[in-house]
Amino acid sequence: MSKLTEKTEIQEAVAQNDATDLDLPNLEDKSTIWTTTRLELWAFYVFYIGNNGYDPSQPPFTAPCGADTDCVLPYLGRIRDVNSIVLLTNGMSFALQAFVLLTIGAWADYGRWRPNITIVFTIVAVAVSFAWLGVKDPSKWQAGVALYILGLIAYQCALTFWTAAFPGLARDLPEIKQSFADVVDGKKLLEDHEQMESLERNRISNVSFAVCSAGEIIILAIMVGILKGVKSDESVENNTKAFSILIAFSGGVWLLCALPWFFLEKRRPGLSLPPGMSLLTIGFKQTYVAFRECVRLKQTFLYLIFYFLMGDVLNTTVTVVGTLQNSVVSYSTLQLTLLLIVGIVTQGLGIYLFWLVQKRFQISTKAMLCFNVFWILILTIWGLIGVHTDKFGFKHVWEIWLYQAFYGLMVCPWYAYSQTMISEVSPLPQMFLFFALFSVVGKTSAFIGPLVSSAIITASGNNDNMPFAFLFGLGSLSTIFLYFVDVKKSRIECEEFVAAEARRKAFDDANVP
């Protein structure tokens, strides 16, 4: 299509108030009166510093065990290996997260009160963090399990609703609004505008992780001082007490980091509640509609399958490596904190380097994600080698240090690019709906992997490396679906979806000023 032809079609669509046929933001859309300020954007970045206050893959409720002995506890009706217990607990927490997101996750799409959901879950997570001060000895490990599950649910839900805000922030950036105005005036091609908005989404997503990493380094340095102060390495009791103190401290930091976002986030309007629907039923209705449309949106559906499978692979891989790591370093709080510092430093460096390369060479989101996925598969091969040997496969302290650096540099960019890719294959007017769908699918996959891996460990005679065989195969299968995702076709499908849904009025924009 020539620039002149494109200009004529766009201007005619605007004149007829029918910009949805071209997947352009409607100029009469009340949400466009907001402009993302630098202060609001930095409040978004800072929130994530606190949201990563402690690593949920670490099991703070487990008692120290000797490096050369098995560690078991009675759990769910039988005696289980601690690593199996951690996997089962993660599986249960992920299943509960899926239920919560399915029930109330849809509420974020309606009206102006989505920020309240983030606020509530953040406050619950902070309260759980302080509750850990009551868990000071191994005999209270059952209470630790309950707090761990509740904390992980609150943490993940707060993270989900915070993450879903970034496409709106990118859309309302002054430079993006100006770019769109240039498209309407015929000064810029629509494809160039879409590329620019895609890069801005990647910038916000990647910079938020980089800022988070920088903040966490300071927080973890303070934590090392706390560990020294309570002499965590002198006894089992001190070590367990140190876990509780650190989690409570992280909760306090999270609250401080979250307050700017609570007050500065603009309450952009969502959708109006459909006739005959209530908040108790809209979640199930919305999920049905999203699944129905994903069948029509073929590229979105392909990415949904990939996201389901690869998300399962990565979540479970991190959990399995975490349990092996804890065994190697004998659950030392100080050692785990120092390892985490290495991971955070390399995470910030890796994510920012990925972004610099993408920005310099104008690389697409899909290409960056493919490169990242390759290194995730390498991680599963690393663990797979350890099935039949004790010389390699997360069996030594030096491997754990290397893993932390490798994970930060090459694997962590997944958390930025996988989310940005969701926005690349989802219709803009229903962005929250599709983020909710992907979040629910992600939680569903995340509890399947740990449960399967736990069964594999038990069936293999407590061989903690055996799940990597399953994870490598599943990860390899998932890459096939990513390969066939066509972002350009997805944009066309999304345009047709928006036009069709506008005619059927399945979703109506909220008429709020």
Side-chain angles (χ1 to χ4, degrees):
M1 178 186 295
S2 68
K3 183 175 180 179
L4 179 61
T5 303
E6 184 179 272
K7 174 182 177 180
T8 302
E9 289 191 9
I10 292 172
Q11 290 179 331
E12 288 180 355
V14 172
Q16 297 171 12
N17 196 26
D18 193 23
T20 55
D21 287 338
L22 292 168
D23 198 26
L24 296 174
N26 191 320
L27 293 182
E28 300 299 323
D29 188 345
K30 298 295 192 297
S31 67
T32 60
I33 68 174
W34 281 276
T35 298
T36 301
T37 63
R38 188 164 297 277
L39 194 59
E40 182 185 18
L41 193 58
W42 272 95
F44 178 81
Y45 293 154
V46 170
F47 177 92
Y48 199 44
I49 296 175
N51 192 231
N52 273 281
Y54 67 92
D55 183 358
S57 69
Q58 306 302 334
F61 55 85
T62 49
C65 296
D68 300 323
T69 59
D70 291 331
C71 188
V72 296
L73 289 168
Y75 191 67
L76 297 180
R78 61 178 294 185
I79 301 297
R80 300 178 187 272
D81 176 82
V82 166
N83 293 333
S84 178
I85 291 175
V86 172
L87 291 170
L88 283 172
T89 303
N90 279 337
M92 288 189 295
S93 67
F94 288 138
L96 290 172
Q97 286 172 40
F99 175 78
V100 171
L101 287 170
L102 180 64
T103 304
I104 70 173
W107 299 357
D109 286 324
Y110 299 96
R112 295 173 175 268
W113 68 299
R114 180 192 56 78
N116 294 338
I117 302 178
T118 305
I119 292 172
V120 169
F121 279 120
T122 300
I123 292 175
V124 171
V126 171
V128 169
S129 298
F130 285 111
W132 273 100
L133 292 173
V135 182
K136 296 182 179 179
D137 61 80
S139 65
K140 297 182 179 180
W141 70 270
Q142 293 95 336
V145 171
L147 289 175
Y148 178 68
I149 293 175
L150 180 59
L152 191 55
I153 292 172
Y155 159 83
Q156 191 60 55
C157 289
L159 176 62
T160 296
F161 293 115
W162 169 83
T163 302
F166 87 89
L169 292 175
R171 177 196 60 194
D172 289 344
L173 286 169
E175 53 268 40
I176 296 300
K177 297 177 74 172
Q178 181 59 50
S179 175
F180 172 66
D182 290 342
V183 172
V184 173
D185 292 337
K187 299 177 181 178
K188 191 173 189 178
L189 293 175
L190 177 59
E191 182 178 349
D192 293 337
H193 169 74
E194 291 173 340
Q195 174 68 10
M196 180 180 179
E197 184 171 357
S198 174
L199 285 174
E200 285 302 315
R201 289 177 182 175
N202 278 285
R203 179 177 70 88
I204 292 175
S205 183
N206 283 283
V207 171
S208 66
F209 275 90
V211 170
C212 161
S213 300
E216 280 189 88
I217 293 170
I218 298 173
I219 295 170
L220 289 170
I222 297 174
M223 286 182 169
V224 171
I226 294 175
L227 291 173
K228 292 291 187 181
V230 299
K231 301 177 180 179
S232 62
D233 284 340
E234 289 191 358
S235 67
V236 171
E237 290 75 16
N238 285 2
N239 188 56
T240 305
K241 180 181 178 181
F243 267 124
S244 299
I245 293 174
L246 292 187
I247 295 174
F249 171 73
S250 71
V253 171
W254 183 359
L255 183 60
L256 289 176
C257 292
L259 288 175
W261 179 241
F262 289 169
F263 292 107
L264 294 174
E265 181 187 10
K266 295 179 176 64
R267 292 181 174 259
R268 296 169 173 84
L271 304 171
S272 57
L273 201 64
M277 290 284 102
S278 69
L279 290 177
L280 294 178
T281 59
I282 189 60
F284 299 99
K285 172 66 175 179
Q286 188 187 51
T287 302
Y288 163 74
V289 171
F291 271 110
R292 182 195 69 196
E293 301 309 333
C294 263
V295 175
R296 283 176 40 198
L297 298 170
K298 295 181 177 60
Q299 307 308 312
T300 308
F301 189 59
L302 284 173
Y303 183 67
L304 182 67
I305 296 174
F306 162 77
Y307 187 81
F308 175 88
L309 297 176
M310 184 54 69
D312 191 13
V313 169
L314 183 55
N315 284 327
T316 308
T317 296
V318 171
T319 301
V320 173
V321 173
T323 59
L324 292 169
Q325 169 182 303
N326 292 335
S327 299
V328 170
V329 297
S330 300
Y331 298 109
S332 167
T333 309
L334 179 59
Q335 285 179 296
L336 289 176
T337 303
L338 292 174
L339 283 167
L340 192 55
I341 290 177
V342 172
I344 296 303
V345 171
T346 54
Q347 169 186 296
L349 182 61
I351 290 175
Y352 199 68
L353 286 175
F354 266 61
W355 162 241
L356 289 180
V357 171
Q358 181 184 21
K359 180 182 178 181
R360 173 66 179 81
F361 297 101
Q362 300 288 293
I363 303 174
S364 69
T365 304
K366 178 185 173 182
M368 295 299 296
L369 185 58
C370 288
F371 180 69
N372 172 244
V373 165
F374 170 78
W375 297 106
I376 295 175
L377 293 178
I378 293 297
L379 187 62
T380 63
I381 294 174
W382 184 348
L384 184 58
I385 295 174
V387 170
H388 297 297
T389 179
D390 290 329
K391 297 181 179 180
F392 197 71
F394 310 112
K395 303 293 184 70
H396 307 281
V397 173
W398 67 265
E399 280 189 278
I400 301 303
W401 288 95
L402 181 60
Y403 158 73
Q404 290 292 336
F406 176 87
Y407 179 79
L409 287 171
M410 309 308 299
V411 177
C412 277
W414 159 268
Y415 299 104
Y417 286 105
S418 64
Q419 297 297 311
T420 306
M421 189 66 180
I422 295 174
S423 68
E424 296 282 316
V425 297
S426 300
L428 182 60
Q430 284 81 39
M431 191 65 71
F432 281 106
L433 181 150
F434 281 87
F435 260 92
L437 170 63
F438 275 89
S439 184
V440 169
V441 168
K443 296 312 111 188
T444 303
S445 71
F447 82 81
I448 293 176
L451 293 176
V452 172
S453 296
S454 176
I456 291 174
I457 289 176
T458 302
S460 63
N462 292 333
N463 186 329
D464 293 330
N465 285 74
M466 189 60 72
F468 288 111
F470 160 72
L471 296 171
F472 172 71
L474 189 62
S476 299
L477 175 64
S478 72
T479 60
I480 298 174
F481 295 96
L482 178 61
Y483 175 79
F484 285 107
V485 173
D486 188 318
V487 176
K488 289 185 178 180
K489 286 184 179 179
S490 178
R491 287 171 182 161
I492 296 174
E493 292 174 356
C494 287
E495 290 171 7
E496 294 173 350
F497 163 79
V498 171
E501 291 304 307
R503 287 191 296 270
R504 295 188 340 187
K505 298 186 181 300
F507 302 100
D508 295 311
D509 288 337
N511 294 318
V512 283

mmCIF file of all heavy atoms in Angstrom, residues 268-287:
data_model
loop_
_atom_site.group_PDB
_atom_site.id
_atom_site.type_symbol
_atom_site.label_atom_id
_atom_site.label_comp_id
_atom_site.label_asym_id
_atom_site.label_seq_id
_atom_site.Cartn_x
_atom_site.Cartn_y
_atom_site.Cartn_z
ATOM 1 N N ARG A 268 -6.851 5.008 34.328
ATOM 2 C CA ARG A 268 -7.376 4.969 32.965
ATOM 3 C C ARG A 268 -8.623 4.082 32.926
ATOM 4 O O ARG A 268 -8.645 3.011 33.527
ATOM 5 C CB ARG A 268 -6.306 4.428 32.016
ATOM 6 C CG ARG A 268 -5.075 5.327 31.927
ATOM 7 C CD ARG A 268 -3.918 4.654 31.212
ATOM 8 N NE ARG A 268 -2.811 5.578 30.989
ATOM 9 C CZ ARG A 268 -1.874 5.845 31.897
ATOM 10 N NH1 ARG A 268 -1.907 5.234 33.076
ATOM 11 N NH2 ARG A 268 -0.911 6.705 31.626
ATOM 12 N N PRO A 269 -9.664 4.512 32.202
ATOM 13 C CA PRO A 269 -10.916 3.746 32.203
ATOM 14 C C PRO A 269 -10.775 2.429 31.464
ATOM 15 O O PRO A 269 -10.041 2.321 30.479
ATOM 16 C CB PRO A 269 -11.892 4.675 31.477
ATOM 17 C CG PRO A 269 -11.021 5.520 30.614
ATOM 18 C CD PRO A 269 -9.750 5.728 31.391
ATOM 19 N N GLY A 270 -11.485 1.435 31.955
ATOM 20 C CA GLY A 270 -11.506 0.145 31.292
ATOM 21 C C GLY A 270 -12.803 -0.021 30.514
ATOM 22 O O GLY A 270 -13.363 0.932 29.975
ATOM 23 N N LEU A 271 -13.313 -1.256 30.468
ATOM 24 C CA LEU A 271 -14.555 -1.543 29.751
ATOM 25 C C LEU A 271 -15.745 -1.394 30.689
ATOM 26 O O LEU A 271 -15.616 -1.438 31.912
ATOM 27 C CB LEU A 271 -14.510 -2.973 29.201
ATOM 28 C CG LEU A 271 -13.319 -3.325 28.302
ATOM 29 C CD1 LEU A 271 -13.295 -4.818 28.032
ATOM 30 C CD2 LEU A 271 -13.374 -2.537 27.009
ATOM 31 N N SER A 272 -16.925 -1.224 30.102
ATOM 32 C CA SER A 272 -18.146 -1.200 30.908
ATOM 33 C C SER A 272 -18.632 -2.627 31.108
ATOM 34 O O SER A 272 -18.463 -3.480 30.241
ATOM 35 C CB SER A 272 -19.228 -0.368 30.209
ATOM 36 O OG SER A 272 -19.494 -0.885 28.920
ATOM 37 N N LEU A 273 -19.234 -2.895 32.266
ATOM 38 C CA LEU A 273 -19.714 -4.233 32.579
ATOM 39 C C LEU A 273 -20.871 -4.589 31.640
ATOM 40 O O LEU A 273 -21.840 -3.834 31.535
ATOM 41 C CB LEU A 273 -20.182 -4.297 34.034
ATOM 42 C CG LEU A 273 -20.255 -5.683 34.680
ATOM 43 C CD1 LEU A 273 -18.862 -6.298 34.775
ATOM 44 C CD2 LEU A 273 -20.871 -5.578 36.075
ATOM 45 N N PRO A 274 -20.780 -5.711 30.912
ATOM 46 C CA PRO A 274 -21.846 -6.083 29.972
ATOM 47 C C PRO A 274 -23.185 -6.255 30.684
ATOM 48 O O PRO A 274 -23.235 -6.656 31.853
ATOM 49 C CB PRO A 274 -21.360 -7.429 29.399
ATOM 50 C CG PRO A 274 -19.878 -7.419 29.606
ATOM 51 C CD PRO A 274 -19.668 -6.673 30.898
ATOM 52 N N PRO A 275 -24.294 -5.968 30.003
ATOM 53 C CA PRO A 275 -25.627 -6.125 30.601
ATOM 54 C C PRO A 275 -25.846 -7.567 31.074
ATOM 55 O O PRO A 275 -25.494 -8.517 30.383
ATOM 56 C CB PRO A 275 -26.577 -5.768 29.451
ATOM 57 C CG PRO A 275 -25.763 -4.907 28.534
ATOM 58 C CD PRO A 275 -24.372 -5.427 28.629
ATOM 59 N N GLY A 276 -26.426 -7.713 32.246
ATOM 60 C CA GLY A 276 -26.724 -9.026 32.770
ATOM 61 C C GLY A 276 -25.560 -9.707 33.458
ATOM 62 O O GLY A 276 -25.701 -10.807 33.990
ATOM 63 N N MET A 277 -24.381 -9.053 33.467
ATOM 64 C CA MET A 277 -23.196 -9.634 34.090
ATOM 65 C C MET A 277 -22.958 -8.982 35.452
ATOM 66 O O MET A 277 -23.265 -7.812 35.673
ATOM 67 C CB MET A 277 -21.965 -9.412 33.215
ATOM 68 C CG MET A 277 -21.931 -10.218 31.928
ATOM 69 S SD MET A 277 -21.505 -11.965 32.213
ATOM 70 C CE MET A 277 -23.143 -12.706 32.087
ATOM 71 N N SER A 278 -22.418 -9.771 36.384
ATOM 72 C CA SER A 278 -22.009 -9.252 37.686
ATOM 73 C C SER A 278 -20.537 -9.566 37.881
ATOM 74 O O SER A 278 -19.942 -10.348 37.138
ATOM 75 C CB SER A 278 -22.838 -9.903 38.808
ATOM 76 O OG SER A 278 -22.487 -11.275 38.942
ATOM 77 N N LEU A 279 -19.946 -8.974 38.903
ATOM 78 C CA LEU A 279 -18.538 -9.214 39.164
ATOM 79 C C LEU A 279 -18.277 -10.668 39.543
ATOM 80 O O LEU A 279 -17.147 -11.156 39.408
ATOM 81 C CB LEU A 279 -18.043 -8.284 40.279
ATOM 82 C CG LEU A 279 -17.933 -6.801 39.906
ATOM 83 C CD1 LEU A 279 -17.512 -5.981 41.122
ATOM 84 C CD2 LEU A 279 -16.952 -6.599 38.763
ATOM 85 N N LEU A 280 -19.295 -11.363 40.018
ATOM 86 C CA LEU A 280 -19.124 -12.769 40.403
ATOM 87 C C LEU A 280 -19.097 -13.694 39.190
ATOM 88 O O LEU A 280 -18.551 -14.789 39.246
ATOM 89 C CB LEU A 280 -20.240 -13.192 41.365
ATOM 90 C CG LEU A 280 -20.247 -12.510 42.731
ATOM 91 C CD1 LEU A 280 -21.449 -13.001 43.544
ATOM 92 C CD2 LEU A 280 -18.946 -12.805 43.490
ATOM 93 N N THR A 281 -19.700 -13.247 38.082
ATOM 94 C CA THR A 281 -19.798 -14.119 36.903
ATOM 95 C C THR A 281 -18.950 -13.667 35.734
ATOM 96 O O THR A 281 -18.685 -14.445 34.827
ATOM 97 C CB THR A 281 -21.262 -14.203 36.430
ATOM 98 O OG1 THR A 281 -21.726 -12.880 36.100
ATOM 99 C CG2 THR A 281 -22.153 -14.788 37.516
ATOM 100 N N ILE A 282 -18.503 -12.405 35.760
ATOM 101 C CA ILE A 282 -17.805 -11.867 34.596
ATOM 102 C C ILE A 282 -16.477 -12.584 34.339
ATOM 103 O O ILE A 282 -16.045 -12.714 33.191
ATOM 104 C CB ILE A 282 -17.570 -10.343 34.758
ATOM 105 C CG1 ILE A 282 -17.036 -9.749 33.453
ATOM 106 C CG2 ILE A 282 -16.609 -10.065 35.908
ATOM 107 C CD1 ILE A 282 -17.950 -9.914 32.284
ATOM 108 N N GLY A 283 -15.831 -13.072 35.403
ATOM 109 C CA GLY A 283 -14.554 -13.758 35.217
ATOM 110 C C GLY A 283 -14.685 -14.986 34.339
ATOM 111 O O GLY A 283 -13.888 -15.201 33.413
ATOM 112 N N PHE A 284 -15.703 -15.789 34.599
ATOM 113 C CA PHE A 284 -15.902 -17.005 33.814
ATOM 114 C C PHE A 284 -16.362 -16.664 32.394
ATOM 115 O O PHE A 284 -15.935 -17.301 31.424
ATOM 116 C CB PHE A 284 -16.929 -17.899 34.507
ATOM 117 C CG PHE A 284 -16.515 -18.326 35.879
ATOM 118 C CD1 PHE A 284 -16.998 -17.686 37.008
ATOM 119 C CD2 PHE A 284 -15.605 -19.374 36.045
ATOM 120 C CE1 PHE A 284 -16.600 -18.070 38.280
ATOM 121 C CE2 PHE A 284 -15.209 -19.773 37.313
ATOM 122 C CZ PHE A 284 -15.697 -19.120 38.428
ATOM 123 N N LYS A 285 -17.222 -15.630 32.271
ATOM 124 C CA LYS A 285 -17.672 -15.206 30.950
ATOM 125 C C LYS A 285 -16.500 -14.681 30.136
ATOM 126 O O LYS A 285 -16.338 -15.005 28.949
ATOM 127 C CB LYS A 285 -18.736 -14.109 31.104
ATOM 128 C CG LYS A 285 -19.144 -13.435 29.791
ATOM 129 C CD LYS A 285 -19.858 -14.386 28.841
ATOM 130 C CE LYS A 285 -20.346 -13.657 27.611
ATOM 131 N NZ LYS A 285 -21.025 -14.559 26.647
ATOM 132 N N GLN A 286 -15.663 -13.868 30.757
ATOM 133 C CA GLN A 286 -14.520 -13.286 30.062
ATOM 134 C C GLN A 286 -13.539 -14.360 29.607
ATOM 135 O O GLN A 286 -13.001 -14.301 28.505
ATOM 136 C CB GLN A 286 -13.810 -12.285 30.975
ATOM 137 C CG GLN A 286 -12.717 -11.489 30.257
ATOM 138 C CD GLN A 286 -11.933 -10.645 31.226
ATOM 139 O OE1 GLN A 286 -11.461 -11.137 32.235
ATOM 140 N NE2 GLN A 286 -11.767 -9.368 30.918
ATOM 141 N N THR A 287 -13.316 -15.344 30.454
ATOM 142 C CA THR A 287 -12.404 -16.432 30.087
ATOM 143 C C THR A 287 -12.953 -17.225 28.906
ATOM 144 O O THR A 287 -12.215 -17.589 27.983
ATOM 145 C CB THR A 287 -12.190 -17.371 31.281
ATOM 146 O OG1 THR A 287 -11.670 -16.617 32.388
ATOM 147 C CG2 THR A 287 -11.203 -18.483 30.934
#
